[in-house]
């Protein structure tokens, strides 16, 4: 064979293997994720419902653009304003540090670190979005004042910093340990080797760190003063012009565990290797949902929302299984220990989505909540309601069962019944069937009360949720009792005004009554009467009957979306209005789907489509959200609604079918199982639902389709 033929054969062989490799590589879903979505402010009064008062920033988005893995301990992100929701606000122009924990709830943002060069007495550097980029597991920005190109990536428990200094003779690193979004009470940092640092930061909890540098430390300048104030600066020894790399391991238990986390998760791996591993991990979970059709903008919103849905709860146990429990004691488990979910928000949709995409994480979250219950006597609740019942029971009914079911059930019963426990005012709720509020003259937005209407409605749903577990476990006595209590929502429905309305201790309705006026915790929790008056997801037939039948219910529901919002009624969180409906906060997120229960899904679809296409990825840069993402709930609403399967009653193992944004969707499950959803027709009006070639009765489909696989055809007109 001559050389020319040999070369041709080699070329053909190489092309074949290149094609084979490409065909076996998963498509890149991370390319659609924009971590900056949710970081820009929402300012349009036409969307907000009111003009922002001077000095206000709407509570919209509050997301962070930095690097993280799904449900990780570390979220490594820039901070532009301490005390803000997630530390980073897109309109800002100065970065003060890069912090290692984040949620978006005005907390965390721990262990700020910032590379310096020839700094002034005031730390922080200007930056430009032109020299900034982010993708799942990666963040980069150029710090103009210090002339440093800073890149970041992460593992589950570690951060990896990569700094390229233009000036290689005055390289410093600030540890701004007196600062975080929570108040810092103490901190410590020590140099324990030529290239090694360790210490802790104390806020509400103590976070330990262990740091390895790739270059020698000349000296550690410790400027700590009393009461946790001050800072420390690491001065890098001269002699090397290579980029400075800083690897940091975290632990909520000990420095030794932080060290072990770092050595085992990063070890000798390069920045590029860790970054690629992060990209692959994200691509693996994002590829669980594959879509065809839709616009590029819709794909960006889908996968960006899916990404944000998978950042919380956060890991808190170390590689050796140790964690600090709810009592502040070190314990050890054979499961990953996670933070408590943001249950008031996420039980509605996100907790179910987590179970669909990461069932092992969802299982360990339940085990973590059970551990809290074992130590404190109660399953954690978070903010309002007792929605651990819905979150746990919903997972259990969907097949996540490998936990101490009986022990968890007993704790949930304690939540539902014990005085001075998980449910405030539970005695009044049990005795009267509702929770009252005090008689207050001229109440205002911030008036303190019991939020009795909201609590009654939510406890009723929590009772229904727990009743489903009681039935499954053949506890008929508690099932009957809890199902009776699940009807308590009716006790705060005023038949004269057709609103859920506050009651006094003696049972009288609270007067005067303005159903449009919002409260933070008087009668309603972050809502007005309109926004809670359609909440009975477990008993919509009963709710419709209260209104006087389907026609009266439809008329009232129409008014929810058409009665104009009063722009003088300003309450943070109660924002982004469609009439009286508020999509910028969670309490009425089920309401757009309520038309289904009177056989008019087309009316729901019009509202759903408006929300999907006009309230996500908005503003001048297309980076604003219509409300606070709340640990991924707002994003999960988008994901499920865009895909055409919504968790109307998240406890129940069923999904309400709507018209998806995409022509075809594949949910890939374990063991080769998949659920395919096909939209047939170009219309947006639901005509038929066909499940495995059979016409579906009603608008709900069973979770069994996720377990066994199958096909849903959605015919439109």
């Amino acid at each position: 064979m001559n050389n020319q033929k040999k070369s041709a054969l080699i070329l053909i062989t190489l092309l074949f293997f290149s094609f084979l490799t490409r065909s076996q590589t998963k498509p890149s879903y991370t390319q659609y994720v924009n971590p900056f979505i949710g970081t820009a402010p929402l300012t349009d009064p036409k969307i907000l419902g009111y003009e922002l008062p001077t000095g206000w920033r709407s509570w919209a988005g509050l997301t962070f653009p930095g690097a993280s893995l799904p449900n990780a301990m570390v979220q490594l992100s820039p901070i532009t304003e301490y005390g803000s929701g997630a530390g980073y606000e897109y309109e800002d122009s100065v970065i003060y540090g890069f912090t290692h924990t984040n949620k978006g709830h005005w907390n965390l943002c721990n262990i700020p670190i910032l590379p310096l060069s020839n700094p002034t007495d005031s730390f922080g550097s200007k930056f430009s979005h032109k020299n900034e980029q982010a993708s799942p597991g990666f963040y980069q920005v150029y710090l103009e004042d210090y002339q440093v190109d800073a890149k970041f990536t992460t593992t589950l428990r570690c951060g990896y910093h990569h700094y390229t200094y233009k000036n290689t003779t005055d390289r410093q690193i600030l540890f701004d340990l007196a600062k975080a979004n929570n108040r810092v009470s103490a901190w410590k940092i020590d140099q324990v080797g030529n290239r090694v640092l360790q210490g802790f930061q104390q806020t509400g909890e103590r976070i330990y760190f262990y740091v390895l540098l790739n270059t020698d430390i000349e000296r550690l300048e410790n400027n700590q003063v009393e009461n946790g104030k001050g800072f420390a600066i690491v001065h890098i020894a001269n002699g090397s012009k290579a980029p400075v790399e800083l690897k940091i391991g975290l632990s909520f238990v000990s420095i030794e565990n932080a060290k072990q986390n770092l050595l085992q998760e990063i070890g000798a791996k390069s920045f590029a290797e860790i970054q690629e591993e992060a990209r692959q991990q994200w691509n693996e979970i994002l590829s669980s949902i594959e879509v065809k059709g839709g616009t590029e903008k819709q794909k960006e919103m889908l996968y960006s929302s899916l990404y944000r849905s998978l950042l919380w709860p956060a890991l808190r146990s170390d590689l050796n299984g140790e964690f600090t429990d709810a009592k502040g004691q070190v314990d050890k488990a054979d499961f990953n220990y996670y933070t408590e979910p943001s249950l008031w928000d996420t039980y509605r949709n996100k907790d179910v989505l987590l179970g669909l995409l990461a069932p092992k994480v969802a299982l360990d979250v339940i085990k973590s909540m059970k551990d809290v219950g074992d130590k404190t006597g109660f399953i954690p609740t978070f903010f309002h309601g007792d929605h651990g019942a819905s979150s746990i029971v919903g997972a259990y009914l969907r097949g996540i069962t490998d936990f101490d079911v009986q022990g968890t059930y007993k704790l949930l019963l304690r939540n539902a019944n014990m005085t001075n426990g998980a449910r405030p005012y539970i005695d009044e709720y049990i005795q009267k069937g509702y929770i009252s509020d005090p008689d207050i003259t001229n109440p205002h937005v911030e008036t303190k009360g019991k939020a009795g209407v909201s609590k009654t409605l939510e406890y009723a749903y929590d009772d229904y949720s727990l009743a489903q577990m009681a039935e499954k476990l053949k506890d008929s006595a508690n099932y009957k009792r809890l199902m009776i209590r699940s009807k308590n929502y009716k006790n705060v429905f005023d038949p004269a005004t057709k609103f859920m309305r506050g009651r006094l201790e003696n049972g009288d309705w609270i007067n005067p009554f303005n159903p449009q006026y919002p409260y933070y915790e008087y009668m309603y929790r972050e809502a007005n009467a309109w926004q809670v008056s359609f909440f009975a997801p477990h008993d919509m037939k009963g709710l419709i009957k209260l209104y006087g039948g389907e026609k009266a219910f439809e008329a009232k529901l129409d008014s929810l979306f058409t009665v104009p919002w009063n722009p003088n009624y300003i309450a943070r969180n109660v924002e982004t209005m469609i009439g009286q409906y508020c999509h910028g906060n969670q309490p009425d997120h089920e309401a757009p789907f309520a038309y289904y229960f009177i056989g008019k899904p087309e009316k729901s679809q019009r509202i759903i489509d408006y929300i999907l296409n006009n309230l996500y990825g908005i503003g001048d840069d297309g980076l604003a959200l219509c409300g606070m993402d709340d640990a991924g709930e707002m994003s999960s609403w988008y994901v499920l609604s865009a895909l055409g399967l919504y968790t109307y009653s998240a406890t129940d193992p069923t999904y309400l079918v709507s018209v998806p944004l995409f022509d075809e969707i594949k949910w890939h499950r374990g063991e080769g199982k998949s659920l395919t959803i096909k939209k047939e027709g170009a219309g947006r009006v639901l005509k038929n639902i066909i499940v495995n070639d059979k016409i579906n009765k009603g608008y709900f489909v069973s979770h069994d389709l996720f377990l066994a696989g199958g096909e849903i055809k959605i015919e439109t007109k």
Side-chain angles (χ1 to χ4, degrees):
M1 185 182 294
N2 60 37
N3 290 336
Q4 191 173 12
K5 288 183 177 180
K6 284 182 179 179
S7 298
L9 182 60
I10 291 171
L11 179 60
I12 291 170
T13 303
L14 289 172
L15 288 171
F16 172 76
F17 280 108
S18 175
F19 170 78
L20 187 63
T21 300
R22 287 198 305 272
S23 67
Q24 294 175 340
T25 302
K26 285 187 176 180
S28 174
Y29 295 93
T30 58
Q31 68 175 313
Y32 294 113
V33 176
N34 185 347
F36 290 104
I37 291 176
T39 64
L42 179 62
T43 59
D44 188 347
K46 293 180 181 178
I47 295 176
L48 282 167
Y50 57 85
E51 292 277 357
L52 282 168
T54 302
W56 273 36
R57 189 187 197 269
S58 67
W59 286 0
L62 307 188
T63 62
F64 63 91
S68 181
L69 291 185
N71 301 105
M73 181 182 292
V74 170
Q75 299 83 33
L76 180 41
S77 192
I79 189 158
T80 64
E81 183 176 350
Y82 287 99
S84 62
Y88 179 94
E89 297 184 339
Y90 193 78
E91 66 272 27
D92 291 340
S93 58
V94 175
I95 287 175
Y96 296 105
F98 301 93
T99 64
H100 293 77
T101 61
N102 210 303
K103 181 187 178 186
H105 268 128
W106 300 277
N107 59 355
L108 301 175
C109 293
N110 297 104
I111 311 177
I113 296 176
L114 180 69
L116 310 173
S117 182
N118 295 312
T120 64
D121 292 338
S122 180
F123 303 122
S125 175
K126 292 180 182 177
F127 74 105
S128 168
H129 295 307
K130 295 178 181 178
N131 295 313
E132 181 188 36
Q133 58 179 317
S135 60
F138 175 75
Y139 176 82
Q140 176 273 331
V141 68
Y142 185 74
L143 302 174
E144 297 172 6
D145 291 339
Y146 304 130
Q147 297 182 300
V148 177
D149 185 55
K151 298 190 296 185
F152 307 88
T153 189
T154 59
T155 63
L156 283 174
R157 302 169 179 87
C158 305
Y160 201 143
H161 301 227
H162 183 283
Y163 307 141
T164 302
Y165 291 81
K166 184 175 182 179
N167 179 6
T168 58
T169 60
D170 183 23
R171 297 173 298 175
Q172 304 174 23
I173 302 173
L174 170 70
F175 282 72
D176 212 0
L177 296 174
K179 294 180 180 176
N181 261 7
N182 298 99
R183 188 183 72 83
V184 177
S185 58
W187 59 271
K188 184 179 182 181
I189 185 170
D190 294 307
Q191 182 180 347
V192 293
N194 289 341
R195 301 182 174 188
V196 185
L197 302 157
Q198 64 185 34
F200 68 83
Q201 186 183 59
Q202 179 85 40
T203 54
E205 52 196 343
R206 180 167 290 193
I207 305 176
Y208 299 89
F209 60 87
Y210 186 85
V211 172
L212 290 176
L213 292 165
N214 69 336
T215 188
D216 288 345
I217 298 170
E218 178 185 283
R219 64 188 174 92
L220 173 64
E221 177 188 343
N222 197 327
N223 294 288
Q224 187 170 16
V225 295
E226 293 181 2
N227 301 319
K229 304 300 182 183
F231 58 88
I233 296 178
V234 175
H235 295 263
I236 304 298
N238 293 330
S240 171
K241 295 184 179 180
V244 173
E245 292 189 335
L246 182 156
K247 304 173 185 178
I248 179 170
L250 297 193
S251 169
F252 287 76
V253 174
S254 68
I255 288 173
E256 187 58 37
N257 282 10
K259 177 181 179 180
Q260 181 185 6
N261 292 341
L262 178 60
L263 295 180
Q264 290 187 226
E265 288 191 356
I266 294 182
K269 292 179 181 178
S270 69
F271 184 92
E273 288 176 304
I274 297 298
Q275 181 186 348
E276 177 58 19
E277 287 180 4
R279 188 199 68 79
Q280 289 180 10
Q281 287 186 55
W282 273 113
N283 205 56
E284 181 68 25
I285 195 165
L286 293 172
S287 68
S288 299
I289 298 175
E290 178 185 356
V291 299
K292 293 180 181 178
T295 66
E296 291 301 298
K297 173 73 172 178
Q298 288 169 339
K299 289 178 182 177
E300 179 187 59
M301 281 310 311
L302 173 69
Y303 287 105
S304 297
S305 297
L306 186 57
Y307 166 81
R308 287 191 301 274
S309 299
L310 294 165
L311 292 168
W312 195 265
L315 181 65
R316 284 296 179 263
S317 56
D318 297 319
L319 274 167
N320 63 7
E322 291 183 342
F323 61 93
T324 299
D325 68 15
K327 288 293 189 179
Q329 302 300 309
V330 175
D331 203 345
K332 191 171 185 177
D334 59 358
F335 59 88
N336 282 333
Y337 186 83
Y338 288 93
T339 58
E340 299 162 10
S342 293
L343 290 165
W344 190 59
D345 311 306
T346 61
Y347 85 94
R348 306 165 196 272
N349 46 42
K350 178 189 177 300
D351 294 351
V352 177
L353 185 59
L354 180 65
L356 291 172
L357 299 175
K360 178 60 168 63
V361 174
L363 173 64
D364 285 352
V365 170
I366 292 172
K367 290 181 177 180
S368 302
M369 294 170 71
K370 166 66 162 51
D371 187 85
V372 173
D374 289 339
K375 307 297 172 57
T376 67
F378 301 96
I379 294 292
T381 57
F382 184 79
F383 191 64
H384 205 257
D386 184 21
H387 303 314
S390 176
S391 182
I392 292 171
V393 176
Y396 177 64
L397 297 179
R398 288 176 172 85
I400 296 176
T401 59
D402 189 20
F403 62 97
D404 179 3
V405 175
Q406 286 289 349
T408 304
Y409 174 60
K410 289 177 181 177
L411 285 166
L412 286 170
L413 284 174
R414 283 179 56 83
N415 277 35
N417 294 291
M418 292 292 291
T419 303
N420 298 322
R423 296 193 190 185
Y425 313 110
I426 187 62
D427 290 344
E428 182 181 25
Y429 173 79
I430 292 173
Q431 292 164 12
K432 297 179 179 178
Y434 67 89
I435 296 171
S436 65
D437 267 280
D439 190 2
I440 296 176
T441 304
N442 298 322
H444 55 84
V445 168
E446 298 187 10
T447 292
K448 301 292 184 182
K450 299 180 185 176
V453 176
S454 292
K455 281 187 174 67
T456 301
L457 297 174
E458 292 178 35
Y459 288 176
Y461 183 68
D462 298 330
D463 287 339
Y464 168 83
S465 300
L466 188 52
Q468 307 317 297
M469 196 172 203
E471 183 180 39
K472 195 80 170 177
L473 297 177
K474 303 186 185 309
D475 181 358
S476 59
N478 274 310
Y479 171 74
K480 291 175 182 177
R481 185 171 57 85
L482 288 165
M483 284 301 292
I484 291 171
R485 281 170 42 172
S486 77
K487 307 297 185 182
N488 282 345
Y489 74 90
K490 297 179 180 182
N491 297 331
V492 289
F493 184 83
D494 174 14
T497 63
K498 298 292 193 295
F499 283 107
M500 299 294 178
R501 181 175 177 183
R503 305 186 78 157
L504 300 173
E505 285 190 0
N506 65 5
D508 290 347
W509 299 111
I510 287 178
N511 272 307
F513 176 63
N514 180 353
Q516 295 187 28
Y517 194 82
Y519 297 98
Y520 287 143
E521 53 182 310
Y522 182 61
M523 295 192 286
Y524 313 106
R525 178 52 110 172
E526 296 183 1
N528 68 11
W530 279 102
Q531 290 147 15
V532 304
S533 289
F534 300 91
F535 183 84
H538 57 300
D539 187 25
M540 289 301 290
K541 286 184 179 179
L543 181 67
I544 291 167
K545 188 176 180 180
L546 287 181
Y547 278 98
E550 292 187 357
K551 288 186 178 180
F553 181 81
E554 181 180 5
K556 194 74 168 186
L557 192 56
D558 287 344
S559 297
L560 171 68
F561 297 104
T562 56
V563 171
W565 181 258
N566 187 331
N568 294 315
Y569 294 166
I570 299 175
R572 270 185 162 150
N573 257 24
V574 184
E575 60 190 17
T576 303
M577 315 308 298
I578 305 174
Q580 294 294 308
Y581 171 75
C582 170
H583 197 70
N585 204 19
Q586 283 71 33
D588 55 354
H589 270 186
E590 81 294 333
F593 300 91
Y595 286 107
Y596 272 79
F597 297 90
I598 55 172
K600 297 197 173 179
E602 68 279 1
K603 288 186 122 178
S604 283
Q605 196 64 55
R606 283 198 292 271
I607 298 164
I608 294 165
D609 284 347
Y610 176 82
I611 294 169
L612 291 172
N613 294 319
N614 296 280
L615 299 182
Y616 287 79
I618 52 181
D620 294 340
D621 299 294
L623 299 177
L625 294 176
C626 62
M628 185 177 171
D629 198 41
D630 275 316
E633 189 280 341
M634 191 75 67
S635 292
S636 296
W637 193 99
Y638 184 96
V639 170
L640 293 169
S641 300
L643 298 179
L645 294 178
Y646 193 71
T647 51
Y648 189 82
S649 172
T651 299
D652 296 309
T654 58
Y655 305 89
L656 184 63
V657 177
S658 60
V659 180
L661 291 179
F662 305 95
D663 298 330
E664 183 174 306
I665 300 147
K666 284 190 176 181
W667 290 76
H668 297 288
R669 302 278 287 166
E671 301 176 353
K673 302 287 177 61
S674 64
L675 171 61
T676 301
I677 302 170
K678 293 182 178 179
K679 179 171 72 74
E680 297 189 347
R684 300 299 300 165
V685 175
L686 181 64
K687 181 181 177 184
N688 286 311
I689 303 167
I690 302 172
V691 178
N692 293 333
D693 297 323
K694 294 182 180 179
I695 293 287
N696 191 66
K697 293 182 180 180
Y699 299 113
F700 285 87
V701 295
S702 170
H703 181 72
D704 290 343
L705 286 166
F706 281 105
L707 299 177
E711 182 182 78
I712 302 172
K713 290 181 182 177
I714 300 172
E715 293 182 346
T716 65
K717 60 183 179 180

